[in-house]
């Protein structure tokens, strides 16, 4: 009797829609133009380009504008078509784009920083331009008058900037791994708090104003979800990259986090599940399972006439254990460990198959991503890479 052929399971993955090429250097930031088949990009090659899709199906620049200095970052407001561009020389230049996206008109320049602008946010509701620079300064300006309203010196160069309009809280992530929260008024700011959980620098921030949750990505390959609104100080760690996390975006309507990294990975995290905090690692001079001494515990080694062992930690319970008592590996997705990690033998036995069920999907963009932008209305994702290429993806198969 012929063997029954089982249909192969369909793998859901992002669909590459378009490659946009032509920049001479890295495209530091780019955005998808809402309701248009277009992309706005700023590059290290000093150019600002508006790419529109032609009848041929290819994207060609309708605007090619050369700036006096390399373009490091940008902020685009679709309602006003206001484009704010941060430059390597510390200047922020503002333009208004025409309705057909074929012309850009200069509005004003802000002498915002002493050196390279690292992040910009334009806040339409307050008519503020927020920015950070390599001069370790956070500054905000009035977009109408161009006047500087205030500033704050950060502990290190900032690389992440988010703002909550309702509470006027600004979140700043920096290269030291610290996140700073400031309360902004019209002409002054108050330090609310600082916190750190990464072992490397913060590379990206993403704010969800509905759930009041802040996500931070880091060069330590991890993402941390900080429950700001819950006021309990909960921090959930997400481990799913093999290289530094470069960019984050959040799909509010599906409660999915998109993280992209230097490994080319696009990871889609389901945040609509009850996640657990990783435990604090416990201190002990001997294995908390078999009581064998660790190698620095000379007294117990002498008394028991045993050789000291190397200390490890179980990622599930946090206990200090020896290698023999933690010989197993397991993924623990609800704790953010999508890859297999060290667990003690008793925890390994207790983890069920249901608890090992993945809460994230992994996809290869085939380029080292430096920036992303997600258009939630169409489900499109833009990735910009060190290969000077912009890629447009249809994410509806995986973000839904």
């Amino acid at each position: 009797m012929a063997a029954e052929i089982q249909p192969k399971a369909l793998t859901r993955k992002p669909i590459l829609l378009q490659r946009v090429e032509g920049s001479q250097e890295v495209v530091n930031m780019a955005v998808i133009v809402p309701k248009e088949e277009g992309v706005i990009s700023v590059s290290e090659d000093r150019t600002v380009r508006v790419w529109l899709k032609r009848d041929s199906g290819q994207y060609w620049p309708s605007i090619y504008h050369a700036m006096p200095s390399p373009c490091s970052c940008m902020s685009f407001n679709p309602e006003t078509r206001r484009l704010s561009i941060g430059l390597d020389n510390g200047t922020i230049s503002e333009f208004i784009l025409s309705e057909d996206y074929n012309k850009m008109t200069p509005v004003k320049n802000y002498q915002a920083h002493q050196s390279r602008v690292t992040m910009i946010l334009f806040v339409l509701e307050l008519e503020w331009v927020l920015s950070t620079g390599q001069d370790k300064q956070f500054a905000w300006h009035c977009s109408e008058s161009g006047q500087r309203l205030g500033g704050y010196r950060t502990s290190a160069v900032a690389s992440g900037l988010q703002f909550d309009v309702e509470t006027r809280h600004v979140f700043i992530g920096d290269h030291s791994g610290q996140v700073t929260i400031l309360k902004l008024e019209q002409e002054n700011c108050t330090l609310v708090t600082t916190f750190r959980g990464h072992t490397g620098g913060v590379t990206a921030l993403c704010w969800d104003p509905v759930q009041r949750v802040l996500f931070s990505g880091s060069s330590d390959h991890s993402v941390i979800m900080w429950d700001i609104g819950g006021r309990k100080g909960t921090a959930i760690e997400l481990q799913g990259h093999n290289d530094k996390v470069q960019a984050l975006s959040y799909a509010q309507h599906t409660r999915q986090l998109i993280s992209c990294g230097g490994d080319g990975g696009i990871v889609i995290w389901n945040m609509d599940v009850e996640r657990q905090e990783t435990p604090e690692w416990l201190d002990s001079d001997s294995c908390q399972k078999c009581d064998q001494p660790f190698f620095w515990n000379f007294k117990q080694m002498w008394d028991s006439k045993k050789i000291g062992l190397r200390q490890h930690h179980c990622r599930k319970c946090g206990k200090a254990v020896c290698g023999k008592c933690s010989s197993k590996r397991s993924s623990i997705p609800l704790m953010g460990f999508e890859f297999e990690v060290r667990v003690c033998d008793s925890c390994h036995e207790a983890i069920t198959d249901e608890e090992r069920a993945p809460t994230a999907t992994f996809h290869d963009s085939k380029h080292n991503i430096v920036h992303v932008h997600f258009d939630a209305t169409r489900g499109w994702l833009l990735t910009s890479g060190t290969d000077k290429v912009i890629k447009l993806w249809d994410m509806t198969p995986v973000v839904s």
Side-chain angles (χ1 to χ4, degrees), residues 32-52:
I32 300 166
V33 180
K35 302 174 186 174
E36 297 280 344
E37 298 262 17
V39 168
I40 303 168
S41 68
V42 297
S43 170
E44 203 66 32
D45 66 8
R46 303 188 179 204
T47 64
V48 181
R49 306 185 199 210
V50 179
W51 310 79
L52 296 180

Side-chain angles (χ1 to χ4, degrees), residues 103-149:
K103 184 183 176 186
M104 53 191 280
T105 305
V107 177
K108 63 171 69 72
N109 288 327
Y110 307 86
Q111 300 305 315
H113 296 275
Q114 299 299 312
S115 53
R116 187 180 179 92
V117 183
T118 55
M119 295 295 293
I120 305 177
L121 284 178
F122 170 62
V123 184
L124 177 62
E125 295 86 347
L126 300 167
E127 295 182 335
W128 286 353
V129 177
L130 316 181
S131 63
T132 57
Q134 280 192 345
D135 56 2
K136 299 182 185 178
Q137 285 287 332
F138 161 72
W140 72 105
H141 291 75
C142 172
S143 63
E144 287 301 298
S145 66
Q147 179 186 349
R148 181 185 169 100
L149 299 175

Side-chain angles (χ1 to χ4, degrees), residues 240-246 259-267 339 363-369:
H241 287 275
N242 292 311
D243 203 339
K244 60 184 174 181
V245 178
Q246 296 274 53
S259 63
C260 299
D263 54 2
I266 300 174
V267 184
F339 303 147
H363 313 281
D364 186 6
S365 70
K366 292 187 166 54
H367 68 164
N368 180 330
I369 297 170

